[in-house]
Amino acid sequence: MNHFDYRDGALHAEDVALKDIAEAVGTPFYCYSTATIERHYRVFTAAFADAPATVCYSLKANSNLAVVRTLAELGAGADVVSGGELRRALAAGVPAERIVFSGVGKTRDEMALGLDAAILQFNVESVAELDALSELAAAAGARAPVALRINPDVDARTHGKITTGTRATKFGIPIAQAPAAAARAATLPAVDLVGLAVHIGSQLTDLAPFEAAFGRMADLARTLRADGHAIERLDLGGGLGIRYTDETPPDPEAYAAVAKRAVSGLGCRLLLEPGRVLVGNAGVLVTRVLDVKEAGGHTFVVVDAAMNDLLRPALYDAQHAIEPVTEPLPEAARAPVDVVGPVCESADSFTKNRPLPPVAAGDLLAIRTAGAYGAVMASSYNARPLTPEVLVKGSAYAVVRRRPSFDETVAAEHMPDWLVETPGRAPGRATVGRRGAA
Ligand code: LLP
């Protein structure tokens, strides 16, 4: 369910025609629908309404401040994996007591930031991290609430690059080492072991791996309690998949039923870290066709968005639905095309041999389901400016991240003093590490 529909032959985000935004903002741009984000959040939280659960939106999916704020206003907490995400969550108004700090490697500065903000919980991924956190907390006169992130050795049966719960991945503490890690935590002066955390992967379309992983966590919670540890919280991570083209993911209700069944009787508070399922189909990437050309038996539709704007197809072979912004006639014949970007890599392709209605240079296309892991994974490769982001609410829209100017994109770069400053560019000189500097 989402709020991107054709109205009078024009694709709209809620009540706003995407072509009107394209006129005003230029292409490419991301466009998010508030009503869709709100709906997904409500459906997800409703599925856990009869359990003591906190939904911590996983910022890595989309950390635009306006998107995070939209969710924070609904009561969402946050799952963050870096100091940057932590600061974004706080800046967007997520209360510190609803923020979980996950992540396979945290710097001391990042841990200090979390301690300083007095966040809900650190999900700790190694004994060394436990030690460091305790040391920092003790020095600050604080206490660090921690959950052990466990690697349950369960195959999520999703794309290999987004599988995180099998033994050979870098994530978490191997489940067999959990009792020793808990014992260690109990000896440390400034950490409080409050729970366990697990996240086995992303874009799961099958409930069985969740069931297996949650079951192992429940068993481990019982074991650790028997060892004398107060395991009060279970963070079940994120990972629920969504439909890009023809996937049939379980709905949040079914997912929640599996989670609740697995932990029933434990009396634990649940933490959930959904990302994609909240924002994925609340976003589209709108792009303009630059050229249509035939070569080697293929029809290439060259668009002005590229792999730097939306990396998922290049990195995971992801297939996003692509629709013309002007509704095609029902009888329009569909012919297979490759939709490609202008970046100088063969991987810069959004789809191959996809049947699309006829498109011509100048037409607008919407690449669907781009609200999660789209803008956040963008780069400025090929010196392309970062794509702007637009948020729609009803008949209103706002540019929530503008396209940077060329001057802004080079503002942080400086010429070393052995190179002559280019005429016409504002002078900027590298000063750090200058030979002979005092
Ligand atoms: N919690 C943890 C500890 C995670 O590592 C992740 C995602 C989530 C929660 C949120 O998972 P979600 O509900 O969104 O599946 N860039 C990839 C996805 C990477 C996911 C990384 N971790 C993609 O575009 O498919």
Side-chain angles (χ1 to χ4, degrees):
M1 166 67 195
N2 62 75
H3 290 77
F4 294 92
D5 299 296
Y6 289 112
R7 290 191 197 171
D8 300 327
L11 191 60
H12 280 61
E14 303 187 25
D15 301 332
V16 183
L18 290 173
K19 67 174 167 27
D20 292 346
I21 304 177
E23 283 295 287
V25 175
T27 53
F29 66 93
Y30 279 99
C31 178
Y32 310 130
S33 149
T34 300
T36 312
I37 298 172
E38 290 178 346
R39 183 189 148 80
H40 291 321
Y41 181 78
R42 293 212 167 96
V43 169
F44 194 90
T45 47
F48 286 95
D50 56 351
T54 303
V55 176
C56 296
Y57 166 59
S58 192
L59 253 77
K60 63 175 77 65
N62 187 324
S63 57
N64 183 284
L65 291 176
V67 169
V68 182
R69 176 80 184 160
T70 299
L71 286 159
E73 283 191 349
L74 296 171
D79 155 48
V80 302
V81 289
S82 68
E85 284 191 355
L86 174 55
R87 297 180 69 170
R88 278 180 175 270
L90 292 169
V94 180
E97 64 270 16
R98 297 175 81 82
I99 298 179
V100 174
F101 197 159
S102 312
V104 83
K106 304 177 188 73
T107 67
R108 285 177 168 251
D109 285 350
E110 289 175 321
M111 293 182 206
L113 216 54
L115 287 169
D116 203 40
I119 59 167
L120 173 64
Q121 166 177 313
F122 292 85
N123 289 353
V124 166
E125 302 231 1
S126 71
V127 169
E129 188 186 335
L130 269 180
D131 291 348
L133 194 55
S134 180
E135 196 184 306
L136 281 170
R143 299 199 66 79
V146 303
L148 301 178
R149 158 96 183 255
I150 303 299
N151 184 322
D153 195 21
V154 169
D155 185 351
R157 290 189 235 147
T158 180
H159 192 283
K161 287 185 179 158
I162 49 178
T163 295
T164 54
T166 47
R167 201 164 13 158
T169 62
K170 67 181 175 180
F171 300 94
I173 297 170
I175 192 159
Q177 294 173 23
R184 172 83 194 168
T187 67
L188 294 173
V191 299
D192 295 318
L193 176 60
V194 294
L196 300 172
V198 70
H199 172 81
I200 57 172
S202 194
Q203 183 56 12
L204 274 75
T205 52
D206 180 2
L207 288 174
F210 284 125
E211 198 163 12
F214 298 164
R216 286 185 193 183
M217 299 304 285
D219 290 345
L220 179 60
R222 284 186 200 97
T223 306
L224 296 185
R225 279 181 175 175
D227 289 350
H229 304 287
I231 304 297
E232 299 150 8
R233 302 179 196 160
L234 283 182
D235 179 340
L236 301 180
L240 185 56
I242 59 173
R243 186 181 175 95
Y244 283 92
T245 49
D246 54 7
E247 302 87 343
T248 49
D251 59 27
E253 195 70 37
Y255 165 78
V258 162
K260 287 182 281 192
R261 196 175 334 120
V263 304
S264 68
L266 280 174
C268 277
R269 171 175 176 190
L270 295 183
L271 304 184
L272 301 146
E273 303 175 347
R276 189 190 315 264
V277 74
L278 298 185
V279 295
N281 75 4
V284 298
L285 173 60
V286 178
T287 181
R288 199 176 285 282
V289 176
L290 298 174
D291 196 5
V292 180
K293 67 178 187 182
E294 307 284 336
H298 285 246
T299 302
F300 291 99
V301 175
V302 185
V303 297
D304 66 1
M307 64 188 286
N308 71 294
D309 305 301
L310 178 65
L311 186 60
R312 303 194 69 259
L315 195 57
Y316 316 113
D317 300 314
Q319 289 295 320
H320 290 245
I322 301 176
E323 285 168 4
V325 166
T326 299
E327 189 172 18
L329 297 171
E331 65 273 18
R334 283 165 162 71
V337 298
D338 292 13
V339 178
V340 300
V343 159
C344 305
E345 302 228 15
S346 305
D348 183 24
S349 168
F350 292 109
T351 191
K352 291 188 190 346
N353 289 316
R354 174 93 60 89
L356 279 192
V359 287
D363 289 356
L364 293 169
L365 297 177
I367 304 180
R368 302 290 301 257
T369 325
Y373 307 110
V376 281
M377 293 177 74
S379 75
S380 51
Y381 186 39
N382 278 204
R384 292 165 52 85
L386 286 178
T387 319
E389 296 170 87
V390 172
L391 182 64
V392 169
K393 184 176 172 66
S395 57
Y397 77 87
V399 178
V400 292
R401 185 180 71 187
R402 64 186 164 74
R403 197 185 314 277
S405 68
F406 172 74
D407 284 349
E408 281 172 312
T409 62
V410 296
E413 296 177 33
H414 290 277
M415 287 295 169
D417 60 6
W418 62 88
L419 292 174
V420 177
E421 188 61 59
T422 326
R425 221 201 113 194
R429 285 277 163 203
T431 50
V432 180
R434 200 159 74 190
R435 204 154 33 126

